[in-house]
Each structure stands twice: as C-alpha cells, then as structure tokens.
Amino acid sequence: VAPEVTVAQYLACFVAVFTATDFVDGMIFFGKRIVCDDDADSNSLPRPSKKCGISNLMRMIVSQKWDICNLMRMIEGAFTIVVSFVFIVQSTTVIDLFLNFAGVTFVSELDDVAFRLANIGLLGTATQRMAILVSKHKVDLGGKKHTQRAMKRRNIVRFISFAAIIIGMWIGLTRFVRYQDVSKYACKSVTVTVGESTNLGFRSFSGTYILHERVHKRRAVYVQVQGREQGTGRGAYLAYCEKDGNNRWTLTNYWWYLQEYDQIINSDDCDGPWDPCCVYDLQSERTRTYDITEISELQDYSGSSVDGSIKCNDCKK
C-alpha cells in the first residue's frame, strides 16, 4: 500500500484501542464496586435501599452480576479491537481505512445507543424503568478504603496493559507491511493475453509472467517466462511506472529494447533496462493500485485501447 496508508494504519491502531470504550471502561472499572445514589458518600457496598431496589439478600448477587457484566464488557471491547485490526490491515486506501474503522466503532456503540433510547422511554415503559434503576448506581472510583499506593499500582497495570496491546498491534502490522514490501502477498504468476486482432508486435506480450525478486516503487515486477535465458529476464516484463504522473502498469520488451535502443536505455532519462517508464509498448489505465488483478484495460503507447487482459494465476493475499 501507499506510504500514507501505512502511516494511517499505525495511527489507527493507537486510536482503535482507546475508542473501544467498552474495553477501556472495563479496564477502568475492573475490581471496582457499585454504590447507590443514596450512598454516594459511603465507601462501602450499598446498604438496603428501597429507592435503589437492592435488599440485603440481593447485595452479593448484584456484586457478582456487576463483575460478570464488566468482564463481558471487556471481552466485547477486545473483539472490537481485533476486528478493527483486521480491517486496518486489509485497507488499501486512507478513506477505506477510516470508513471501515467508523463502521466498527458504530456497531460497538449500538448497546450504548439502545440504553439511551430506553432511558428516555422510546423502547417501552418497563425498559425505561429498568434503565432508570440502573442509572441510579454509580461506580466507586476510590475513597478512604483505597490507599493511594493501591490506586497507583492499578493505574500502572492499566497503562502497561494498554501499551502492550498497542505495541502488539504495531508489531503485527509491521510484519504485514514488511511482507507487502517484498511482494509476499502478490500474485506469484499472471497471464497476459493479447487478442489476435491486435498489432502483431503486441501479441508477443501474450504468455505467462512470474513474480521477480525485484521490487519497483514498492510494487511487484513480473517477468515473461517465454524467451527467458538462464534467468536473465529476456523477454518482456510487467512493472509499475509513476514517473511524471504516469501512474500506469507497463509492459516492456526487455530484450528487444536492450539490443536495439541501448543508447536510449542508458540515457539520463532512463534508470537502466529495468525502468518501466523508459520505453514500453503497452500500458494499463491510470491507476494507483498495488494489486495487479485490478487492472481493467490495456492500451498502446498512444492511449488507444487494446484487446487484451491480465489475469492472476495464483493469488496469495
């Protein structure tokens, strides 16, 4: 992918962790206890209160339910982070990246939206009554019962946990970026087909092209199997040209130009015989894609459409 997409992916990993509110809140509230509005000044578990709806017999049950709900909230938030990471890795443009990210964030917030709707009575009277009852309970974030040392220790654990998750995502993303740079996920072999109605000289480009070890502009390079001699790259090759805003995949007859136009190839305008922008016969439509399978059209040097196609034989993404 483009460098700006890679930067956005690293940034999105950081944002994904802290926008997963269920996971963040779960980490903050882990080990805390709930207190009733009537007992807001108390540092103990809620005492019996008709207003809060908790009896002595239900107090322990409520506490256990709170712990279970908090754990489930953390698990749901963790799944959100995992799904976000998958979309981050698979995105090929900055716009797609943040659209996918926004979609995941929206879905993860649906439970909070439902709670707000219930609280204002749009989901029924019984649901509103339960939402109001839940709203009367608050989380005890610490008081005399919690020493400053214990609070500081918990904050350190939370910080380490968040940092470990972000660093883990960055390490995983770095591995994917490295594999992309060496074309590990590119097609291993492609077939170029030029129709019989096309110029006879262009038809020589038809055939199978295999992935070359060379990488040009962070994109794969393919070398024609037919006409190759001892792996020297004789025949044609398919590579990407972005010089002067060309932004096209081009097909160049490597050996023919190497023999006939040696002076042109070695001029200041060319970066050697492997320069896909120097002298080429066929080109794709203008595109910034890194994926060879997204090429939809072949054109000659003048821009006229050519009866031809490029198909991946062995895609590995």
Side-chain angles (χ1 to χ4, degrees), residues 39-312:
D39 303 317
D41 296 330
S42 174
N43 295 317
S44 61
L45 288 175
R47 294 188 297 271
S49 172
K50 293 182 180 180
K51 182 178 179 181
C52 292
I54 298 179
S55 65
N56 286 326
L57 296 177
M58 293 295 294
R59 185 160 43 182
M60 186 61 67
I61 298 177
V62 169
S63 177
Q64 292 175 351
K65 286 183 177 180
W66 162 252
D67 290 336
I68 294 174
C69 290
N70 201 42
L71 177 62
M72 297 299 294
R73 193 177 189 182
M74 290 177 60
I75 294 174
E76 188 270 336
F79 274 116
T80 300
I81 295 175
V82 172
V83 173
S84 297
F85 180 73
V86 172
F87 280 118
I88 289 171
V89 171
Q90 292 182 340
S91 299
T92 57
T93 66
V94 176
I95 294 178
D96 288 342
L97 171 63
F98 285 103
L99 282 177
N100 292 333
F101 186 71
V104 174
T105 303
F106 171 76
V107 173
S108 66
E109 295 292 330
L110 286 178
D111 56 338
D112 293 332
V113 173
F115 182 80
R116 295 189 191 100
L117 293 176
N119 208 17
I120 61 178
L122 294 181
L123 300 182
T125 305
T127 308
Q128 181 184 27
R129 191 160 41 241
M130 182 60 66
I132 293 175
L133 179 63
V134 172
S135 301
K136 289 180 179 180
H137 294 82
K138 298 182 179 181
V139 178
D140 178 17
L141 295 178
K144 295 180 180 179
K145 192 176 180 179
H146 300 82
T147 64
Q148 291 296 324
R149 182 178 298 178
M151 291 291 294
K152 186 178 296 186
R153 186 164 53 246
R154 288 184 178 181
N155 290 334
I156 292 175
V157 171
R158 294 187 188 105
F159 175 81
I160 293 175
S161 300
F162 286 129
I165 294 172
I166 295 173
I167 293 174
M169 294 174 69
W170 282 345
I171 292 175
L173 180 58
T174 300
R175 182 179 180 184
F176 282 108
V177 171
R178 174 56 184 165
Y179 282 168
Q180 289 172 345
D181 287 342
V182 297
S183 300
K184 186 177 180 64
Y185 302 116
C187 293
K188 303 304 179 184
S189 170
V190 300
T191 297
V192 176
T193 305
V194 180
E196 296 183 0
S197 61
T198 311
N199 184 299
L200 182 62
F202 294 159
R203 288 164 58 184
S204 63
F205 288 103
S206 294
T208 302
Y209 291 68
I210 60 175
L211 183 66
H212 195 268
E213 61 183 7
R214 179 183 297 269
V215 177
H216 185 74
K217 301 301 181 182
R218 300 184 69 193
R219 291 173 172 85
V221 174
Y222 296 89
V223 177
Q224 190 179 30
V225 175
Q226 294 84 349
R228 300 179 71 226
E229 180 179 325
Q230 297 180 352
T232 59
R234 297 185 179 187
Y237 68 89
L238 173 64
Y240 186 79
C241 168
E242 66 175 6
K243 186 182 294 184
D244 299 326
N246 194 15
N247 298 329
R248 302 175 187 267
W249 287 83
T250 63
L251 279 161
T252 304
N253 194 320
Y254 178 90
W255 184 244
W256 190 79
Y257 280 122
L258 185 62
Q259 295 297 308
E260 302 294 333
Y261 291 92
D262 184 68
Q263 292 182 353
I264 297 177
I265 289 178
N266 291 308
S267 67
D268 294 336
D269 296 331
C270 293
D271 296 329
W274 283 100
D275 186 359
C277 302
C278 186
V279 278
Y280 55 87
D281 292 281
L282 295 178
Q283 60 186 358
S284 71
E285 72 278 12
R286 292 190 185 276
T287 177
R288 293 186 178 274
T289 182
Y290 287 73
D291 187 356
I292 197 73
T293 63
E294 295 181 3
I295 295 177
S296 60
E297 182 184 12
L298 285 179
Q299 305 170 356
D300 61 19
Y301 189 85
S302 65
S304 300
S305 182
V306 172
D307 179 20
S309 63
I310 299 177
K311 183 183 69 173
C312 177

